[in-house]
Short mmCIF file of all heavy atoms in Angstrom, two decimals:
data_model
loop_
_atom_site.label_atom_id
_atom_site.label_comp_id
_atom_site.label_asym_id
_atom_site.label_seq_id
_atom_site.Cartn_x
_atom_site.Cartn_y
_atom_site.Cartn_z
N TYR B 260 101.84 118.80 76.23
CA TYR B 260 101.53 117.50 75.69
C TYR B 260 102.61 117.07 74.63
O TYR B 260 103.06 115.90 74.63
CB TYR B 260 100.16 117.53 74.97
CG TYR B 260 99.58 116.25 74.45
CD1 TYR B 260 99.15 115.27 75.38
CD2 TYR B 260 99.54 116.01 73.10
CE1 TYR B 260 98.73 114.04 74.87
CE2 TYR B 260 98.98 114.81 72.57
CZ TYR B 260 98.59 113.82 73.54
OH TYR B 260 98.10 112.66 73.06
N ALA B 261 102.98 118.01 73.79
CA ALA B 261 104.01 117.71 72.84
C ALA B 261 105.33 117.37 73.41
O ALA B 261 106.05 116.57 72.97
CB ALA B 261 104.19 118.95 71.82
N SER B 262 105.64 118.07 74.62
CA SER B 262 106.86 117.76 75.30
C SER B 262 106.90 116.33 75.83
O SER B 262 107.96 115.64 75.78
CB SER B 262 107.16 118.66 76.43
OG SER B 262 107.28 120.00 75.95
N ALA B 263 105.71 115.83 76.30
CA ALA B 263 105.64 114.50 76.71
C ALA B 263 105.93 113.52 75.59
O ALA B 263 106.70 112.54 75.76
CB ALA B 263 104.29 114.16 77.30
N ALA B 264 105.43 113.81 74.38
CA ALA B 264 105.71 112.98 73.28
C ALA B 264 107.16 113.09 72.87
O ALA B 264 107.87 112.06 72.51
CB ALA B 264 104.82 113.39 72.03
N GLY B 265 107.74 114.22 73.13
CA GLY B 265 109.20 114.38 72.87
C GLY B 265 110.05 113.60 73.79
O GLY B 265 111.05 113.10 73.39
N VAL B 266 109.61 113.50 75.05
CA VAL B 266 110.35 112.69 75.97
C VAL B 266 110.39 111.25 75.60
O VAL B 266 111.38 110.60 75.64
CB VAL B 266 109.76 112.88 77.39
CG1 VAL B 266 110.35 111.82 78.41
CG2 VAL B 266 110.01 114.35 77.87
N ILE B 267 109.29 110.83 75.07
CA ILE B 267 109.18 109.39 74.51
C ILE B 267 110.13 109.29 73.36
O ILE B 267 110.97 108.29 73.29
CB ILE B 267 107.72 109.04 74.03
CG1 ILE B 267 106.71 109.24 75.08
CG2 ILE B 267 107.69 107.64 73.42
CD1 ILE B 267 106.83 108.27 76.23
N LEU B 268 110.26 110.24 72.49
CA LEU B 268 111.17 110.19 71.34
C LEU B 268 112.62 110.11 71.91
O LEU B 268 113.45 109.29 71.41
CB LEU B 268 111.05 111.40 70.52
CG LEU B 268 112.10 111.62 69.43
CD1 LEU B 268 111.87 110.72 68.20
CD2 LEU B 268 112.16 113.09 68.96
N PHE B 269 112.83 110.88 72.89
CA PHE B 269 114.20 110.92 73.54
C PHE B 269 114.54 109.51 74.06
O PHE B 269 115.67 109.10 73.81
CB PHE B 269 114.14 111.99 74.69
CG PHE B 269 115.47 111.95 75.54
CD1 PHE B 269 116.68 112.05 74.93
CD2 PHE B 269 115.38 111.80 76.84
CE1 PHE B 269 117.82 112.11 75.68
CE2 PHE B 269 116.49 111.81 77.71
CZ PHE B 269 117.77 112.00 77.03
N ILE B 270 113.68 108.95 74.76
CA ILE B 270 113.94 107.65 75.37
C ILE B 270 114.27 106.57 74.25
O ILE B 270 115.24 105.81 74.37
CB ILE B 270 112.76 107.15 76.21
CG1 ILE B 270 112.66 108.05 77.48
CG2 ILE B 270 112.90 105.65 76.67
CD1 ILE B 270 111.37 107.79 78.27
N VAL B 271 113.43 106.62 73.19
CA VAL B 271 113.79 105.72 72.15
C VAL B 271 115.10 105.94 71.46
O VAL B 271 115.93 105.03 71.25
CB VAL B 271 112.56 105.68 71.10
CG1 VAL B 271 112.87 104.68 70.01
CG2 VAL B 271 111.25 105.36 71.71
N THR B 272 115.34 107.12 71.12
CA THR B 272 116.69 107.49 70.46
C THR B 272 117.86 107.24 71.38
O THR B 272 118.93 106.93 70.96
CB THR B 272 116.72 108.92 69.91
OG1 THR B 272 116.33 109.83 70.96
CG2 THR B 272 115.78 109.13 68.74
N LEU B 273 117.55 107.45 72.72
CA LEU B 273 118.68 107.24 73.72
C LEU B 273 119.25 105.81 73.61
O LEU B 273 120.45 105.65 73.67
CB LEU B 273 118.07 107.44 75.06
CG LEU B 273 119.09 107.51 76.26
CD1 LEU B 273 120.08 108.66 76.04
CD2 LEU B 273 118.45 107.58 77.53
N MET B 274 118.37 104.89 73.44
CA MET B 274 118.84 103.52 73.29
C MET B 274 119.81 103.35 72.13
O MET B 274 120.91 102.71 72.30
CB MET B 274 117.69 102.57 73.16
CG MET B 274 116.71 102.56 74.37
SD MET B 274 115.38 101.32 74.34
CE MET B 274 114.41 101.84 72.99
N PHE B 275 119.51 103.96 70.99
CA PHE B 275 120.45 103.91 69.91
C PHE B 275 121.70 104.66 70.19
O PHE B 275 122.81 104.20 69.89
CB PHE B 275 119.82 104.48 68.63
CG PHE B 275 118.58 103.68 68.18
CD1 PHE B 275 117.31 104.22 68.26
CD2 PHE B 275 118.72 102.38 67.72
CE1 PHE B 275 116.27 103.50 67.83
CE2 PHE B 275 117.60 101.63 67.32
CZ PHE B 275 116.39 102.20 67.34
N SER B 276 121.52 105.79 70.82
CA SER B 276 122.77 106.72 71.07
C SER B 276 123.67 106.08 72.02
O SER B 276 124.91 106.23 71.88
CB SER B 276 122.28 108.05 71.70
OG SER B 276 121.43 108.64 70.77
N ILE B 277 123.24 105.31 73.01
CA ILE B 277 124.16 104.66 73.92
C ILE B 277 125.08 103.70 73.18
O ILE B 277 126.31 103.75 73.45
CB ILE B 277 123.40 103.99 75.09
CG1 ILE B 277 122.72 105.05 76.01
CG2 ILE B 277 124.27 102.99 75.90
CD1 ILE B 277 121.79 104.48 77.00
N VAL B 278 124.50 103.02 72.33
CA VAL B 278 125.33 102.07 71.56
C VAL B 278 126.35 102.87 70.67
O VAL B 278 127.47 102.64 70.62
CB VAL B 278 124.41 101.24 70.51
CG1 VAL B 278 125.27 100.21 69.82
CG2 VAL B 278 123.33 100.60 71.32
N ASN B 279 125.83 104.02 70.17
CA ASN B 279 126.76 104.89 69.32
C ASN B 279 127.93 105.37 70.15
O ASN B 279 129.04 105.30 69.74
CB ASN B 279 125.83 106.10 68.87
CG ASN B 279 126.57 106.93 67.80
OD1 ASN B 279 127.58 106.50 67.26
ND2 ASN B 279 126.07 108.12 67.60
N ILE B 280 127.65 105.93 71.31
CA ILE B 280 128.77 106.46 72.11
C ILE B 280 129.74 105.40 72.53
O ILE B 280 130.97 105.58 72.38
CB ILE B 280 128.15 107.10 73.45
CG1 ILE B 280 127.19 108.22 73.09
CG2 ILE B 280 129.36 107.60 74.36
CD1 ILE B 280 127.76 109.51 72.56
#
Side-chain angles (χ1 to χ4, degrees):
Chain B
Y260 187 70
S262 296
V266 170
I267 304 291
L268 172 77
F269 171 55
I270 292 169
V271 180
T272 51
L273 188 66
M274 296 188 291
F275 297 111
S276 298
I277 287 171
V278 186
N279 189 16
I280 300 290

